[in-house]
Amino acid sequence: RRLTMMGILALLVAIGVLNNEYYNVFSTVEALSTTPVSRQFIQLAGEDRLPSSFVSEWPTWVLDESGDLTKIPDNSGFVSPTSIDELWQPMDLKLPQMRLALGLHVRDGSIRHVMPALDVSFDGHHRNRGLCSVPRAYSWTDFSLDCGMQQLTLATRKEDKEDWSTLTNPVSIKDAFNAAIRLVTQEPPEELGSGSNLIHVICDGPAIECPKAGSELRVQLGFEEEGDEDALGELHVQVSNTEAGSESEYLPKVYKPLFQN
């Protein structure tokens, strides 16, 4: 399995899909050997689905409580940071903070899907900390006006356990949903009017420290009366350690403020 994963990443580097410097810095043999089989599709309502590789390059934006919209960098030296399977934590960084968010798929200026999301950062900075640093839901639901009545639940468990432990009380998405509607309908940025974009609208609630490696994170979107198995959307990732970025001579310049300060 280890050779297979290494071979795949080496091929991606050769054809230019992965940045060779970043591959040397963060993709260690130890980390790759423990990576689970990746989900191949984003599950939509009914039998519909999207290839996860097709979605991974879509731009991701963050709308905070003050109404500021920022794009998570994914070029000009930054790598594409999203993953529907993993949340990687470099060993030389402190644990980041996470906040619940409402995710939206906007296609050509219109909201098509909603999903649970997590905003993972250091006080709103450094959202792109390398590969697998922006978790993305693997299960989405169609957009409709009654989506605003749903709520988010956040839970964690150890990898060898079956039962989930909730980290917060359920959080209503009503305010985040309304903020998203205003953004899309009232002079949105030009970039949102073409192609597919994902927006994470941060919900009210405190920031929580991310669990340590060896844990799993789950965020579910659904109505209050529904159980876990009836969730309309779900984010589920494994938290794993990767090598220290600050110790590598190949650390990309754009990541130096994060790893060397």
Side-chain angles (χ1 to χ4, degrees):
R1 174 181 174 82
R2 179 177 299 180
L3 291 175
T4 299
M5 293 296 296
M6 289 294 289
I8 291 173
L9 278 182
L11 176 60
L12 292 175
V13 170
I15 64 177
V17 175
L18 289 180
N19 178 285
N20 188 53
E21 293 182 344
Y22 192 83
Y23 168 82
N24 290 330
V25 173
F26 298 106
S27 299
T28 65
V29 173
E30 180 181 359
L32 292 174
S33 66
T34 60
T35 301
V37 176
S38 299
R39 299 181 179 97
Q40 300 300 311
F41 295 95
I42 300 287
Q43 184 63 50
L44 305 178
E47 299 297 322
D48 294 337
R49 57 185 187 174
L50 290 170
S52 57
S53 59
F54 180 66
V55 174
S56 64
E57 300 298 323
W58 291 355
T60 304
W61 303 73
V62 177
L63 181 66
D64 64 21
E65 303 97 318
S66 64
D68 291 333
L69 181 70
T70 57
K71 182 182 178 183
I72 298 178
D74 56 7
N75 53 29
S76 300
F78 287 96
V79 299
S80 178
T82 64
S83 174
I84 62 174
D85 301 298
E86 293 273 328
L87 178 57
W88 285 4
Q89 173 63 20
M91 291 186 292
D92 54 342
L93 294 181
K94 65 180 182 180
L95 293 174
Q97 301 158 336
M98 55 185 186
R99 298 189 63 185
L100 284 169
L102 171 65
L104 303 105
H105 169 213
V106 177
R107 177 72 178 176
D108 296 334
S110 299
I111 302 175
R112 301 296 182 87
H113 303 96
V114 298
M115 75 242 18
L118 272 178
D119 181 60
V120 184
S121 70
F122 294 115
D123 296 322
H125 303 285
H126 300 298
R127 291 185 169 97
N128 185 334
R129 299 172 305 285
L131 291 173
C132 301
S133 59
V134 177
R136 182 167 285 177
Y138 75 91
S139 175
W140 305 356
T141 189
D142 291 339
F143 168 77
S144 63
L145 291 180
D146 65 353
C147 289
M149 304 302 295
Q150 297 174 23
Q151 61 183 15
L152 295 168
T153 56
L154 173 62
T156 185
R157 70 180 179 188
K158 295 296 184 182
E159 292 176 3
D160 58 349
K161 303 297 183 181
E162 293 186 4
D163 295 332
W164 292 91
S165 299
T166 57
L167 293 177
T168 65
N169 293 326
V171 173
S172 170
I173 67 168
K174 181 178 180 180
D175 290 342
F177 183 82
N178 291 335
I181 297 294
R182 290 193 297 270
L183 171 68
V184 174
T185 58
Q186 299 177 8
E187 299 184 4
E190 184 178 349
E191 294 95 324
L192 296 183
S194 177
S196 283
N197 292 265
L198 290 182
I199 304 174
H200 293 175
V201 186
I202 298 178
C203 297
D204 292 334
I208 303 172
E209 187 175 76
C210 182
K212 296 180 180 179
S215 302
E216 297 177 38
L217 276 171
R218 185 186 71 182
V219 186
Q220 292 185 317
L221 174 67
F223 292 101
E224 181 178 359
E225 65 275 9
E226 295 176 335
D228 293 352
E229 66 279 0
D230 298 317
L232 299 177
E234 181 167 303
L235 181 156
H236 180 189
V237 292
Q238 176 181 319
V239 184
S240 303
N241 275 337
T242 58
E243 70 176 69
S246 59
E247 298 176 358
S248 175
E249 61 181 306
Y250 301 105
L251 182 67
K253 183 181 298 185
V254 293
Y255 289 101
K256 289 184 176 181
L258 169 64
F259 284 94
Q260 295 185 351
N261 291 338

